[in-house]
Amino acid sequence: MILRATHVSKVYHLDGEEVKALDDISLSIDKGEFVSIIGPSGSGKSTLMHIIGLLDSPSSGEVLLEGQDVTKLSEKSLAKLRNQHIGFVFQQFNLLPRTSALENVELPMYYGGVDAQERQQKAIEMLNLVGLSERMDHWPNQLSGGQQQRVAIARSLVMNPAIVLADEPTGNLDSKTGQEILRLFHQLHDQGHTIVLVTHDGNIAAQAKRQIRISDGKIEK
Ligand SMILES: Nc1ncnc2c1ncn2[C@@H]1O[C@H](COP(=O)(O)OP(=O)(O)OP(=O)(O)O)[C@@H](O)[C@H]1O
Ligand SMILES: [Mg+2]
């Protein structure tokens, strides 16, 4: 098992009001799984992804990453765990502007202390894997949306993470390009990667091997 969340709740405090975004969520994800988290807008999907991705902490409950309780770790330790074990892909691609595709992909390795030569070698390898070998020197604004998402996917993989979390990765793409990106996730899954795909779209969620449905911050049984 790579990841386990037990009795996770998240309450946001906003203008003196409490918003219960997650209400007693328990789930686990095994190595090599391709899981989708599906639910309507506002159901808590991104909140859940941020918590299992160690970007945010739960108000109560426990999160175990590869057996380690991460709930009480310092921000510094969490940043290190994220860098080494989790790859992120977002709807808005989140690439650094005026920075080449190659350098964007190298970035997690830079933070991870990988030496320059290995960084470049690995980044080239990953850009080849996602089919972007011809575009390595391009800046994000010189790439199409689908190409930018491929760069983001290459970046998510360079530290060889235990799990890749993708939040609406096709949300900013036309349907044909979205299908190409989904095919890439299938390819990565076939190669042994563990993938969690967050979406509000039932057709996309259905492509995963297992679906976790959430509504109003709860898992539907
Ligand atoms: N920082 C925040 N402060 C207060 N409330 C928040 C915050 N972030 C999210 N929420 C609330 O928590 C609930 C869940 O939000 P979340 O972003 O997890 O939903 P989602 O399922 O990802 O929706 P979408 O499909 O629109 O992305 C919503 O009611 C939202 O308004
Ligand atoms: Mg969301």
Side-chain angles (χ1 to χ4, degrees):
M1 195 213 0
I2 288 182
L3 194 127
R4 183 191 289 276
T6 3
H7 302 302
V8 163
S9 295
K10 180 72 180 181
V11 179
Y12 291 113
H13 298 271
L14 194 67
D15 303 329
E17 280 197 41
E18 287 196 347
V19 181
K20 193 154 203 177
L22 296 178
D23 185 4
D24 196 20
I25 296 260
S26 295
L27 58 84
S28 60
I29 292 159
D30 284 327
K31 187 168 165 50
E33 271 203 286
F34 186 175
V35 182
S36 60
I37 295 176
I38 161 105
S41 181
S43 56
K45 303 181 298 293
S46 294
T47 303
L48 181 59
M49 184 186 125
H50 285 138
I51 289 174
I52 63 182
L54 319 187
L55 288 165
D56 201 357
S57 52
S59 307
S60 60
E62 209 175 52
V63 178
L64 298 182
L65 176 64
E66 300 190 297
Q68 183 184 9
D69 181 0
V70 299
T71 327
K72 292 177 185 66
L73 295 178
S74 67
E75 184 42 48
K76 195 173 167 206
S77 312
L78 288 173
K80 190 167 177 202
L81 279 182
R82 278 197 300 273
N83 179 257
Q84 294 184 337
H85 299 277
I86 300 170
F88 294 97
V89 179
F90 297 99
Q91 179 173 354
Q92 317 283 354
F93 322 131
N94 293 14
L95 301 175
L96 281 190
R98 293 181 297 282
T99 305
S100 71
L102 187 71
E103 288 165 323
N104 266 283
V105 175
E106 283 189 44
L107 212 57
M109 296 184 281
Y110 179 82
Y111 292 123
V114 177
D115 76 58
Q117 198 189 344
E118 194 186 335
R119 268 194 332 248
Q120 198 184 49
Q121 207 180 330
K122 184 88 187 177
I124 291 171
E125 187 191 318
M126 287 301 135
L127 283 163
N128 284 335
L129 179 77
V130 301
L132 269 190
S133 34
E134 311 291 304
R135 294 284 186 280
M136 297 198 206
D137 298 326
H138 287 55
W139 288 357
N141 67 353
Q142 300 167 328
L143 296 169
S144 70
Q147 289 169 339
Q148 290 183 61
Q149 196 59 300
R150 285 170 192 275
V151 175
I153 292 170
R155 180 183 60 185
S156 79
L157 296 172
V158 285
M159 294 297 285
N160 199 22
I163 188 164
V164 175
L165 303 177
D167 194 350
E168 301 280 6
T170 61
N172 269 14
L173 304 173
D174 63 75
S175 63
K176 179 169 166 286
T177 311
Q179 280 305 323
E180 286 166 13
I181 293 296
L182 285 170
R183 265 201 294 283
L184 179 55
F185 280 114
H186 280 290
Q187 180 193 332
L188 298 172
H189 174 238
D190 290 340
Q191 291 167 356
H193 288 283
T194 309
I195 294 165
V196 177
L197 183 65
V198 172
T199 181
H200 67 277
D201 182 331
N203 291 326
I204 292 173
Q207 297 205 15
K209 308 285 172 203
R210 174 161 71 104
Q211 298 183 41
I212 297 172
R213 304 190 151 270
I214 94 169
S215 66
D216 282 339
K218 291 192 183 72
I219 290 182
E220 289 180 9
K221 292 288 183 285

